[in-house]
Amino acid sequence: MAWSDNPELAASFRHEAAERSASLRDGLLALEGSAQPRQAATALMRDAHTLKGSATMFGAAEVVELAHRAEDLLARVRDGRVAVRRDVIDLLLLATELLSRWRPGEEWAVPADVRADTLVSLDAAISGRESVEVPRLPAEPSPVAAEAPDAAAEELPSAHAGGRLGDQVRVPTRRVHGLLDVVGEAELDVRRVERHTRELSDLLSEHQVLVKQLRAALLAGGSVGELGDRVTAMVGVGDRLHATTRDLRSRTEDAGNRLARVRDGAMGLAMVPVRRVAAAFPALVREVAGASGKDVELVLDGADVELDVRVLDGVADALRHLVTNAVDHGCETPDGRAAAGKPRRAIVTLAARTAGSSAVVEVADDGAGVDDDLLREIAVRRGYLPEGTTASGSVLHQVLFEPGFSTREDVTTTSGRGVGLDVVRSAVQELGGTIEVVSTLGLGTRFILTLPVTLGVARCLLVRCGTERYAVPLAGVVETLSLGDVAVHDVAGSLVISREDSGATMPLADLGEVLGVVGARSPRAVVVARLTGESVAWAVDEVESEREVVVKSLGDFLGRVPGAAGATIDDDGSVLLLVDLRELALRWTGSASLGAGVPEPLATETSGAAPRERDTAEGQGRARVLVVEDSLGVRELQRSILEGAGYDVVTAVDGLDGAARLQGGPVDLVLSDVEMPGMDGFTLTRTIRKTRGWENVPVVIMTSRGDDADKRAGLDAGADAYLLKREFDQRALVDTVRRLVGR
């Protein structure tokens, strides 16, 4: 049976088509008046790209062609080659309407002549024609209610994230009945606990009466026999209190175990197998392999592994991108494999397994692997890495996840625009997971996703920083160490720890200082986490315990709190914050401030290092430079160069973070990238020029965008200098900063 005949899959993609089309429509309307059309167009490209992938798996060639043309036109809008004109928006809205009328498993309710005319107009707009004709689309015919909707289709949750069909889950009746049985037992536990509580209350009342009688007898000088009787009665009540307390404790433990079963059963109601997403992948592999002249087999392992529907929804698009990437980029042609001594048929594997409270999902191929030399050359040529870089291995592979990066020189229907792996990383990180690339040249590549099994419960370390306690999710935590068992060193103004057994080094940050904990601190433990492509050691006062906690939202009032992944309630009723080490690491890794927050005793007691100039003088006498760059590698390089030239450097991960850093203290110069999420470099520059107190701060733009129009836009925004990453020269950067700062 063709998978297009599967009612569950058809229902899933019908909902996806409608949702993606609605997202495109809303985005296009916002694009027309957007001050940042590049970013808006990039987001729209992702929707079109995903919808095209769905149509590809469903075998809807005409829909694929239309989505591909729309994506091409959006790419030209993003790159500034096509202006955001009314006719262009109208044409894209028409294409979106056509796509919205595609319902997988049904006939496409769009006249053939309209489809053909729309493709012609899209081609004209893509070619740069000043004005294009927008065909007229007749009103959609009213649906005929001749048949009842398919029950499976109505009940099936979507395989995609938030606000989609994830609010509906088909549950086997055995799970519901099993949960009801446990609930019945839990209710019996409640009644038993209530009975024991009443018994305790009665015994305590009786004990209080006996205490009063004994006190009165003592004051009245009662006889020894009378006093003995009172004491004997009290001892009897005490024995009964002890027995009842023991029984109550046992009942409470039973009730706790049963409540845990209720919780697990309730979570199980929202668990779905990986195969619900993976079912569509064989057809996808066949389509992509056929289009590229390859022979590829998909192997599914662990398709019955179950994840929270919200987790599977959130990672579905990412898995589809990875499978497509494995076939299109990783696998060789049959002749190429034969020449390399491999079987002509390539193998792509999607495997899933659980590991405690985490799930590990791998997408692997036995293809050519990543050529580090070629990847480094492309990254340097396109401005993602500086000239002369020696990055390799996992550090180099992180460039694959940079927005807009692609190793393809040409654009095909499946790749070449740099839309894909950045989406994968974002989706995984939003779920609190991690992604790792392992590749061997000539043998293949593996993308390893570590995800939480559920978003409702998390295994955490409870740590203390001063008088504050925090929950650190175990996802991404590698190990915990005693601070006395590692060597701490000061390297270029930042603290690092080194392991004597392996010789490995990693940056050290004080979690309490990063979170703004006030009061006396005495770090004695280290939590090592790997969440951003490199390990970071976090100093804490104490690691108290490991516990499974129920994760609570911070609510609409607080909203999104930076560095927080949620909250939980401790046994004593206090609220513990779940810290997001990934976000904190992105903000602090590579920054001169990383080790600045570690108290002086930590540095001097463990390594004997003298206090740094910044600790003692707060950088007094040195010019302060704010580096705003979303790429960790580039940010670290710029920081190292400027610190080596004698400047005090503060870093920010995007324009919004840069503006926040400016509010935190004066700087003498801002060095900023252009293309960043949130607020780009041009907007940041204009903000600086319009803000009282900042208007005279020199701004240097360093970017890979070297067109004359981009340079004019940067200078018009108020930049004092415009440097190109592809022409990067360390001396030129330092000379420019010295010229503008005056020292």
Side-chain angles (χ1 to χ4, degrees):
M1 181 181 72
W3 78 274
S4 57
D5 296 329
N6 186 316
E8 292 188 341
L9 293 172
S12 175
F13 282 100
R14 275 198 292 271
H15 283 277
E16 180 185 33
E19 184 182 63
R20 293 291 181 179
S21 298
S23 178
L24 278 168
R25 187 180 301 109
D26 293 342
L28 286 168
L29 293 174
L31 173 64
E32 193 166 15
S34 174
Q36 299 179 7
R38 180 183 181 87
Q39 294 181 11
T42 300
L44 290 168
M45 285 177 62
R46 292 174 181 171
D47 279 329
H49 190 79
T50 299
L51 188 54
K52 181 179 64 178
S54 301
T56 299
M57 288 190 289
F58 216 88
E62 287 185 293
V63 179
V64 172
E65 185 177 13
L66 178 62
H68 182 60
R69 302 285 180 84
E71 190 181 6
D72 277 338
L73 181 53
L74 285 166
R76 281 158 175 75
V77 171
R78 177 196 66 180
D79 297 337
R81 289 182 284 175
V82 172
V84 182
R85 308 190 311 261
R86 184 178 182 85
D87 59 333
V88 171
I89 297 296
D90 288 344
L91 181 59
L92 285 168
L93 285 171
L94 172 63
T96 299
E97 179 61 25
L98 299 188
L99 292 172
S100 72
R101 295 191 183 187
W102 169 58
R103 294 174 177 85
E106 303 175 7
E107 184 177 351
W108 195 9
V110 175
D113 58 335
V114 175
R115 301 200 299 264
D117 291 343
T118 302
L119 291 174
V120 170
S121 295
L122 285 169
D123 285 336
I126 291 169
S127 67
R129 185 175 299 177
E130 290 296 331
S131 177
V132 293
E133 182 179 352
V134 180
R136 295 180 60 85
L137 178 64
E140 186 175 14
S142 300
V144 179
E147 300 180 359
D150 182 82
E154 288 299 314
E155 295 177 6
L156 180 74
S158 165
H160 301 283
R164 308 182 186 177
L165 283 177
D167 58 354
Q168 301 177 14
V169 180
R170 300 180 66 186
V171 180
T173 55
R174 57 178 174 80
R175 283 190 174 178
V176 177
H177 292 155
L179 179 58
L180 290 174
D181 289 341
V182 180
V183 169
E185 295 173 3
E187 289 179 342
L188 179 59
D189 285 330
V190 171
R191 290 194 294 272
R192 287 171 174 170
V193 170
E194 288 177 345
R195 177 171 59 81
H196 281 85
T197 302
R198 288 195 298 270
E199 291 178 1
L200 277 176
S201 179
D202 293 341
L203 287 170
L204 286 172
S205 297
E206 185 177 349
H207 185 269
Q208 288 175 353
V209 170
L210 290 172
V211 169
K212 291 180 180 179
Q213 291 175 351
L214 178 59
R215 184 184 299 114
L218 287 171
L219 293 174
S223 65
V224 174
E226 181 182 2
L227 293 176
D229 291 342
R230 303 294 185 194
V231 171
T232 301
M234 289 184 63
V235 170
V237 172
D239 290 341
R240 290 159 59 196
L241 275 171
H242 178 72
T244 304
T245 301
R246 184 179 61 247
D247 290 344
L248 180 59
R249 183 182 299 111
S250 176
R251 294 300 182 190
T252 302
E253 289 176 356
D254 291 343
N257 293 333
R258 256 182 279 275
L259 283 175
R261 291 170 57 192
V262 171
R263 183 200 63 198
D264 294 341
M267 289 193 302
L269 297 181
M271 303 290 278
V272 290
V274 172
R275 69 168 176 270
R276 198 185 73 170
V277 169
F281 289 167
L284 171 65
V285 169
R286 186 174 183 275
E287 288 287 340
V288 177
S292 55
K294 299 175 181 179
D295 184 5
V296 183
E297 177 186 354
L298 177 67
V299 175
L300 299 177
D301 184 16
D304 291 330
V305 170
E306 293 187 334
L307 301 177
D308 187 324
V309 65
R310 294 170 295 176
V311 175
L312 194 58
D313 281 356
V315 81
D317 285 344
L319 292 177
R320 182 165 57 203
H321 281 304
L322 289 176
V323 170
T324 301
N325 187 75
V327 177
D328 197 40
H329 287 273
C331 298
E332 312 100 318
T333 61
D335 290 343
R337 293 179 61 84
K342 298 181 179 181
R344 295 181 66 85
R345 170 168 286 187
I347 302 294
V348 171
T349 303
L350 173 64
R353 67 180 188 276
T354 56
S357 60
S358 297
V360 179
V361 182
E362 294 188 16
V363 177
D365 64 74
D366 64 348
V370 176
D371 185 335
D372 282 6
D373 293 335
L374 178 60
L375 177 61
R376 190 183 304 108
E377 176 189 339
I378 294 174
V380 171
R381 184 171 70 247
R382 297 184 178 178
Y384 288 91
L385 290 176
E387 292 283 354
T389 181
T390 58
S392 62
S394 61
V395 175
L396 175 62
H397 296 163
Q398 291 303 308
V399 77
L400 294 170
F401 298 102
E402 291 294 325
F405 182 82
S406 176
T407 57
R408 283 287 175 87
E409 298 292 344
D410 56 332
V411 175
T412 69
T413 58
T414 55
S415 64
R417 293 182 178 84
V419 177
L421 290 183
D422 64 315
V423 179
V424 172
R425 180 173 62 178
S426 297
V428 171
Q429 290 180 347
E430 285 176 6
L431 293 169
T434 63
I435 182 168
E436 182 181 0
V437 185
V438 178
S439 183
T440 303
L441 186 62
L443 298 181
T445 302
R446 290 189 299 151
F447 287 86
I448 306 170
L449 285 65
T450 303
L451 303 162
V453 172
T454 177
L455 298 180
V457 175
R459 196 76 183 172
C460 293
L461 290 177
L462 299 188
V463 303
R464 183 175 58 80
C465 298
T467 58
E468 301 293 335
R469 298 168 67 239
Y470 298 96
V472 177
L474 275 179
V477 172
V478 178
E479 60 182 339
T480 59
L481 303 166
S482 170
L483 196 55
D485 294 337
V486 297
V488 180
H489 305 283
D490 188 315
V491 178
S494 295
L495 293 182
V496 299
I497 67 170
S498 60
R499 298 289 304 275
E500 294 182 0
D501 51 354
S502 63
T505 63
M506 65 193 76
L508 174 66
D510 187 312
L511 182 61
E513 290 290 338
V514 172
L515 293 172
V517 175
V518 297
R521 297 289 319 288
S522 182
R524 292 186 176 86
V526 172
V527 177
V528 178
R530 184 179 180 86
L531 294 160
T532 59
E534 65 175 297
S535 296
V536 178
W538 298 91
V540 298
D541 289 17
E542 181 184 0
V543 178
E544 294 185 348
S545 63
E546 179 181 327
R547 186 186 305 172
E548 201 168 61
V549 303
V550 177
V551 181
K552 300 286 188 181
S553 168
L554 295 177
D556 296 335
F557 180 76
L558 290 177
R560 176 73 174 91
V561 177
T568 188
I569 301 175
D570 202 8
D571 297 341
D572 60 0
S574 61
V575 177
L576 300 182
L577 192 70
L578 270 72
V579 296
D580 186 344
L581 291 184
R582 178 190 64 83
E583 181 176 347
L584 294 178
L586 287 173
R587 289 181 175 275
W588 292 91
T589 298
S591 168
S593 302
L594 181 62
V598 182
E600 181 179 325
L602 176 62
T604 57
E605 291 176 10
T606 57
S607 65
R612 298 186 302 276
E613 176 185 349
R614 183 170 179 177
D615 291 331
T616 57
E618 296 295 327
Q620 186 174 2
R622 292 193 294 168
R624 189 182 180 109
V625 177
L626 172 62
V627 173
V628 185
E629 169 64 61
D630 61 335
S631 169
L632 174 61
V634 176
R635 188 169 68 245
E636 170 63 13
L637 175 67
Q638 294 172 347
R639 181 196 66 81
S640 299
I641 291 172
L642 293 173
E643 283 194 337
Y647 294 103
D648 182 28
V649 180
V650 181
T651 62
V653 298
D654 56 35
L656 290 173
D657 190 23
R661 300 279 179 177
L662 283 168
Q663 293 174 351
V667 299
D668 297 285
L669 181 137
V670 175
L671 173 63
S672 176
D673 188 19
V674 172
E675 296 182 43
M676 297 178 290
M679 177 190 291
D680 64 17
F682 291 161
T683 306
L684 174 62
T685 303
R686 286 191 290 269
T687 300
I688 291 173
R689 292 292 171 256
K690 294 178 182 178
T691 303
R692 185 174 182 181
W694 300 352
E695 62 269 28
N696 295 321
V697 175
V699 178
V700 176
I701 295 290
M702 176 170 279
T703 178
S704 56
R705 292 170 55 173
D707 294 345
D708 291 338
D710 290 327
K711 292 180 181 179
R712 285 195 300 272
L715 297 176
D716 290 344
D720 297 275
Y722 197 102
L723 305 179
L724 297 180
K725 291 180 179 177
R726 65 170 178 263
E727 299 173 358
F728 177 77
D729 179 81
Q730 177 175 337
R731 184 182 300 275
L733 172 60
V734 173
D735 289 344
T736 300
V737 172
R738 283 179 177 164
R739 174 174 58 84
L740 294 172
V741 173
R743 48 179 163 155

